[in-house]
Amino acid sequence: MEKVQTARVIEFYSNSCMVRLGDMNIPCLTPKKLDIVVGDEVEIDVINDSSEIKGKIVKRHKRRSALKRFLKGSVKTYAANLTHIGIICSPIPETPRRFIDKWLVLANASNLSAFIVANKSDQTYSKDYSGKLDLYETLGVNIVEISAKEGGGIEKLKNFIAMKSTIFVGKSGAGKSTITSKLTGKSLKTQSLKKSRGLHTTSISSLYSVEKNIEIIDSPGTRDLDISNIKKIDILSAFWEINEASKNCKFSDCKHIDEKNCAVQLGLKTNKIATSRYNNFLDFINNE
Ligand SMILES: Nc1nc2c(ncn2[C@@H]2O[C@H](COP(=O)(O)OP(=O)(O)OP(=O)(O)O)[C@@H](O)[C@H]2O)c(=O)[nH]1
Ligand SMILES: [Mg+2]
Ligand SMILES: [Zn+2]
């Protein structure tokens, strides 16, 4: 038997992938030219011989959205058909402000909405960490506070991500897989379960569908995020408070460093713009 059917890519390996077709998971060969990523909708030829079911991807549907990674000299799609990026933060290991700002820039460049999941609320917050969460809340970023370990806030998170397709991103150890386990009821490999202590526990991105029309992708922890290929205008618009202030600078080509009547400098002096955001903005604009 052989027939073409529409399926969803739930995991992608180097030249093959796993797709979901109804409630079946089917391994598939993926021709390189189709440029398949997790989240893609594809047409597959189902080959159902007596021993096993497998498939071959013959066509990729047009993507509704694409999360892009900007690697040195190239832009690569990393995941498809998402609506949101959930930045998983934790007090230990402490998520740096720079990491959050980079993901806000990346989300903006891919036209996706970003929110923060403040995980490990059972741990004690340092003053700096609380200040960090306050800063992003003031900037209008949605924050859902949870403890994946103890279960606090999980229902709130479920309601927040209902009807959304979210990829969880975050530093290794922030708790992406623990949260995914809690949401899916599946036992996934997390740092507390693994024996050898490598840097990253999760090595590929996997897509899960949960009740309430929730779609989540658990991704490997990110060490280096390159944003040097992102257009300056896309960087500026992800620093929306700086973007707003810059409209009142005296010079239209103001670099916001030491120019006269710079509204961004004024915002800094009056604490309307946080120093960390300003410093990251300048770093990112100057290609780090
Ligand atoms: N105290 C506390 N620990 C947690 C919580 N959530 C996760 N952890 C622990 O944090 C560690 C890392 O969790 P993982 O889920 O493996 O982290 P990850 O983000 O998937 O890491 P990578 O796959 O390496 O990117 C594990 O030891 C978890 O048990 C939480 O809410 N509170
Ligand atoms: Mg993981
Ligand atoms: Zn200025």
Side-chain angles (χ1 to χ4, degrees), residues 176-177 189-190 201-202 218-219:
K176 300 176 292 297
S177 300
K189 192 155 117 192
T190 64
T201 313
T202 306
D218 180 19
S219 73

Side-chain angles (χ1 to χ4, degrees), residues 263-282:
V264 174
Q265 287 291 336
L266 179 67
L268 259 178
K269 281 190 198 108
T270 53
N271 292 327
K272 293 211 170 75
I273 293 171
T275 313
S276 67
R277 293 274 290 170
Y278 174 74
N279 289 339
N280 286 337
F281 165 70
L282 281 193

Side-chain angles (χ1 to χ4, degrees), residues 90-91 94-95 97 118 123-138 143 145:
S90 63
E94 186 163 337
T95 310
R97 291 168 196 246
Q123 288 179 337
T124 310
Y125 290 2
S126 67
K127 222 170 144 199
D128 182 66
Y129 186 72
S130 304
K132 199 178 302 187
L133 295 184
D134 290 347
L135 166 64
Y136 290 99
E137 191 162 36
T138 310
I143 300 186
E145 206 170 351

Side-chain angles (χ1 to χ4, degrees), residues 87-105:
I87 309 170
I88 313 296
C89 297
S90 63
I92 306 168
E94 186 163 337
T95 310
R97 291 168 196 246
R98 191 182 172 79
F99 182 85
I100 301 173
D101 285 335
K102 270 198 182 173
W103 269 112
L104 293 176
V105 168

Side-chain angles (χ1 to χ4, degrees), residues 25-41:
N25 288 353
I26 303 177
C28 279
L29 287 170
T30 46
K32 234 192 167 84
K33 64 175 192 309
L34 289 182
D35 181 26
I36 300 296
V37 297
V38 66
D40 266 326
E41 279 165 4

